[in-house]
Amino acid sequence: MLLSRDSLSFMFRSAALLWQKNAARLGEIDSRFGDGDHGVTVSKMASAIVSRIDGLKDESIKGFLEALSADIMAINGGSAGPLYGTFFEGLAAPLSDETEIDAALLKAMLAGGIGALFDITKARVGDKTMMDALIPAVEAARTADDDVLAVIAAATKASAQGCKDTENMVSKFGRARSYGEQTLGVPDVGAVSAALLFEGFNNLKEGTVQ
Ligand SMILES: [Mg+2]
């Protein structure tokens, strides 16, 4: 199976819906140790996806991801906009004018996404940030079978586990850092939204947007 532009539309639309559905919960989590804006930011990012997605019918996947990246970078919302914008820009980096994506290219895209983030943040696994979901996701994708659905499923499972693992971590980045051990027991909000992104992508397997 190859990921067509229709498949990617489905994946991004599903992720946007999940972000919208979980916006209130994300805002609540972020209000514990952050500034509480992550739900609003995620809603804005979801709207940016929905606004861009129809253009994917007529343009390259690279063009779509680059335009989406620029939209998301421009969102005012602390660090989340630039971080997700950078991730999407990195996904586009290995592409040229493809209109379909195979497993090898999907793995390269995910590696491009995390590589772009490595350039702009020092956060790594254990620091209680979105990287705790994204780094394991990309690593699991890299070693998954050469099948696009297997790659997405592996990334989704690893991001969910990585997100859960943040409950047992003390925040080391951002505003949450000042709360120290009080952050134990609560997942990192960026890791939650990152895991939801993959969960949305993985809905492609069921073929239904939930
Ligand atoms: Mg915030």
Side-chain angles (χ1 to χ4, degrees):
M1 178 184 169
L2 296 172
L3 288 180
S4 65
R5 288 180 290 186
D6 280 352
S7 308
L8 283 160
S9 293
F10 187 98
M11 290 165 62
F12 274 92
R13 205 181 290 280
S14 180
L17 274 172
L18 265 188
W19 272 353
Q20 279 163 343
K21 276 172 72 173
N22 285 277
R25 180 167 70 98
L26 292 166
E28 194 277 322
I29 295 170
D30 194 30
S31 68
R32 302 279 299 271
F33 309 114
D35 52 10
D37 66 347
H38 197 60
V40 173
T41 303
V42 155
S43 283
K44 289 179 183 170
M45 294 195 296
S47 297
I49 290 172
V50 171
S51 299
R52 277 281 166 203
I53 206 93
D54 287 335
L56 185 52
K57 284 200 294 279
D58 308 313
E59 66 182 332
S60 70
I61 294 164
K62 185 184 185 75
F64 162 72
L65 286 171
E66 287 182 339
L68 178 62
S69 165
D71 291 346
I72 286 180
M73 292 267 196
I75 290 171
N76 291 321
S79 55
L83 288 165
Y84 276 106
T86 297
F87 182 65
F88 291 141
E89 186 178 42
L91 293 179
L95 297 174
S96 49
D97 59 354
E98 294 87 352
T99 55
E100 291 181 317
I101 291 168
D102 66 11
L105 188 50
L106 181 57
K107 291 179 182 187
M109 290 170 69
L110 290 166
I114 206 74
L117 284 174
F118 284 157
D119 288 342
I120 65 160
T121 176
K122 290 188 168 68
R124 296 295 183 266
V125 168
D127 292 329
K128 193 158 183 155
T129 72
M130 67 191 287
M131 299 299 273
D132 282 292
L134 291 176
I135 293 171
V138 175
E139 181 59 22
R142 189 178 66 79
T143 56
D145 288 347
D146 276 327
D147 170 82
V148 288
L149 291 179
V151 172
I152 296 165
T156 304
K157 187 176 172 197
S159 67
Q161 183 61 53
C163 174
K164 180 139 190 56
D165 290 347
T166 66
E167 292 176 18
N168 301 315
M169 296 174 190
V170 174
S171 292
K172 300 201 179 68
F173 275 78
R175 190 177 296 215
R177 186 172 67 161
S178 62
Y179 289 87
E181 296 198 348
Q182 292 177 61
T183 61
L184 283 168
V186 179
D188 175 69
V189 73
V192 175
S193 66
L196 286 169
L197 176 72
F198 280 102
E199 189 182 332
F201 288 167
N202 197 41
N203 281 338
L204 181 66
K205 198 168 56 177
E206 271 81 49
T208 51
V209 177
Q210 288 161 2

